[in-house]
């Protein structure tokens, strides 16, 4: 039996930051309101000319260094993003060119904030079936470019960044199970309505019914935790670390309560970068690996929820 094992992690945040106090001069809000309702203190934003591929490349190179591999060792590149630099080529192909490699499969995957979880699930299938031996999985976003900076209901929440992992085929897990779901009936609650043939400028930004999203997210993430534990015959106390999508501290706390996990066993980075969509889990994961909290052999539960709606989880023996 072949499994995929995580060899290395990496991440990158753009240098420019915007604090909650900075947002007070843009929209009718207060730094205290943002912190209390979301747990966010600041977000990182790309500068003019800085691209999603720039962020992806920096995170990817960090992850390759940590894995002790060269780009030429890869036979699969997946970039989870909702904010690609171009309609095409995919950000994964742009990244492949930057990394100086040719020939291996490279494609983008779009599942909004669940994108990294979906991408890990897909890469894991490639490796389990023998179609790939070493995969680079990146979550990279420039959400600031689809943010309406006059809408206080959304602009306080999102930020830019990238995270990455390198996977390799192994005889033991590694990734134990992945659980991916979607329900397009919720398409109107969180969306960028514009698209080809519907390209009015005012439709090119995120729209969200925040409190409805919040309610569905909390119940859905509770269910995915149960599903993951049941599928593997595990109990809550078996989980060493929860690495949740970093959207809102209150959603994270609700999932931690569901798992009876103290917050010390939950990786929380939302204060530093807000909701970076597909980048948020690998950003948090990399932080906790590099600061020594997460150690080899520990059992990790990653979970995410996003537009679509999409949701999913990955159970990993690190
Ligand atoms: N500053 C100040 N007040 C704000 C505000 C802001 N940035 N944004 C909204 N408000 C106001 C609302 O207008 C509303 O005012 P009203 O009572 O006078 O109508 C009040 O705060 C409460 O709004 P509500 O939307 O019910 O707040 P909330 O407690 O649900 O918090 C969110 C709003 C957006 C923080 C919260 O709903 C949330 O995090 N939702 C999930 C978002 C998310 O994670 N999306 C991505 C999923 S991947």
């Amino acid at each position: 039996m072949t499994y995929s094992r995580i060899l290395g992690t990496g991440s990158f945040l753009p240098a420019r930051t915007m604090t909650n106090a900075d947002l007070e001069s843009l929209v009718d809000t207060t730094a205290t309101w943002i912190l209390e309702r979301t747990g966010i203190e600041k977000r990182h934003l790309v500068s003019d000319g800085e691209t999603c591929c720039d962020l992806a490349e920096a995170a990817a190179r960090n992850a390759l260094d940590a894995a002790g591999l060269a780009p030429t060792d890869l036979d699969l590149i997946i970039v989870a993003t909702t904010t690609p630099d171009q309609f095409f080529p995919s950000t994964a192909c742009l990244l492949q060119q930057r990394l100086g490699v040719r020939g291996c499969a490279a494609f983008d995957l779009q599942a909004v904030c669940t994108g990294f979880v979906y991408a890990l699930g897909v890469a894991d299938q490639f490796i389990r079936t023998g179609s790939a031996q070493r995969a680079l999985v990146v979550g990279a976003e420039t959400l600031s470019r689809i943010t309406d900076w006059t809408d206080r209901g959304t602009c306080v929440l999102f930020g830019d960044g990238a995270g990455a992992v390198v996977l390799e085929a192994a005889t033991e897990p590694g990734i134990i199970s992945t659980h991916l779901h979607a329900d397009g009936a919720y398409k109107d609650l969180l969306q960028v309505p514009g698209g080809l043939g519907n390209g009015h400028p005012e439709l090119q930004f995120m729209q969200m019914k925040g409190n409805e999203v919040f309610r569905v997210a909390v119940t859905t993430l509770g269910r995915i935790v149960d599903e993951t534990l049941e599928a593997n015959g595990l109990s809550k106390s078996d989980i060493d670390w929860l690495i949740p999508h970093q959207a809102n501290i209150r959603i994270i706390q609700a999932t931690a309560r569901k798992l009876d996990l103290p917050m010390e066993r939950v990786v929380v980075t939302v204060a530093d970068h807000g909701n970076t969509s597909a980048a948020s889990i690998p950003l948090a994961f990399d932080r906790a690996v590099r600061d020594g909290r997460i150690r080899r052999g520990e059992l990790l539960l990653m979970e995410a929820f996003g537009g679509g709606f999409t949701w999913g989880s990955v159970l990993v023996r690190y």
Side-chain angles (χ1 to χ4, degrees), residues 14-16 45-51 144-145 160:
R16 185 161 76 98
L45 306 178
V46 283
S47 303
D48 286 348
E50 196 172 20
T51 66
S144 59
R145 297 201 165 118
D160 303 333

Side-chain angles (χ1 to χ4, degrees), residues 29 33 37 113 152 208 210-211 214 245 247-248 250 275 305:
T29 191
W33 190 97
R37 296 298 181 105
C113 297
R152 70 177 183 173
M208 181 176 69
N211 45 20
F214 188 96
H245 170 46
N248 182 315
R250 294 185 292 140
N275 183 345
F305 179 89

Side-chain angles (χ1 to χ4, degrees), residues 93-112:
C93 285
L94 303 181
L95 176 62
Q96 185 195 44
Q97 186 269 337
R98 293 277 191 92
L99 293 175
V101 289
R102 306 173 84 166
C104 72
F107 59 90
D108 284 3
L109 190 155
Q110 213 275 57
V112 203

Side-chain angles (χ1 to χ4, degrees), residues 13-262:
L13 288 165
R16 185 161 76 98
T17 57
M18 183 181 279
T19 63
N20 292 348
D22 295 333
L23 279 159
E24 289 178 351
S25 59
L26 284 184
V27 288
D28 180 15
T29 191
T30 64
T32 316
W33 190 97
I34 300 169
L35 184 61
E36 284 175 357
R37 296 298 181 105
T38 71
I40 299 167
E41 291 173 21
K42 69 174 192 307
R43 63 288 296 142
H44 293 249
L45 306 178
V46 283
S47 303
D48 286 348
E50 196 172 20
T51 66
C52 186
C53 189
D54 291 335
L55 310 186
E57 182 186 359
R61 288 193 184 280
N62 283 344
L64 284 163
D65 283 351
L69 293 184
T72 45
D73 294 320
L74 299 171
D75 51 16
L76 174 66
I77 299 173
I78 306 178
V79 176
T81 186
T82 308
T83 48
D85 294 327
Q86 303 178 209
F87 276 117
F88 71 87
S90 66
T91 309
C93 285
L94 303 181
L95 176 62
Q96 185 195 44
Q97 186 269 337
R98 293 277 191 92
L99 293 175
V101 289
R102 306 173 84 166
C104 72
F107 59 90
D108 284 3
L109 190 155
Q110 213 275 57
V112 203
C113 297
T114 318
F116 182 75
V117 164
Y118 264 67
L120 268 190
V122 171
D124 183 48
Q125 299 299 326
F126 268 73
I127 289 176
R128 279 176 189 253
T129 56
S131 300
Q133 297 295 308
R134 289 184 178 129
L136 171 66
V137 180
V138 183
E141 300 282 11
T142 48
L143 290 178
S144 59
R145 297 201 165 118
I146 55 165
T147 297
D148 177 354
W149 290 100
T150 66
D151 173 17
R152 70 177 183 173
T154 53
C155 75
V156 303
L157 301 175
F158 299 100
D160 303 333
V165 300
V166 175
L167 300 175
E168 183 178 52
T171 51
E172 286 181 18
I175 293 182
I176 297 169
S177 67
T178 59
H179 306 263
L180 309 180
H181 298 282
D183 186 348
Y186 291 105
K187 66 185 173 55
D188 296 333
L189 294 189
L190 176 53
Q191 59 174 334
V192 176
L196 284 176
N198 186 16
H200 300 289
E202 71 279 10
L203 301 179
Q204 301 303 315
F205 299 116
M206 278 182 282
Q207 298 178 0
M208 181 176 69
K209 299 198 170 80
N211 45 20
E212 291 176 59
V213 173
F214 188 96
R215 266 200 313 277
V216 184
V218 168
T219 46
T220 306
L221 290 171
R223 281 207 314 272
I224 197 81
V225 164
D226 286 339
E227 179 185 328
T228 312
L229 294 176
E230 275 167 36
N232 293 286
L234 294 172
S235 55
K236 298 171 180 176
S237 58
D238 292 317
I239 303 296
D240 291 308
W241 291 99
L242 175 66
I243 311 175
H245 170 46
Q246 310 285 317
N248 182 315
I249 188 68
R250 294 185 292 140
I251 298 176
I252 295 172
Q253 286 163 340
T255 312
R257 273 196 300 276
K258 171 87 190 169
L259 271 167
D260 295 332
L261 261 190

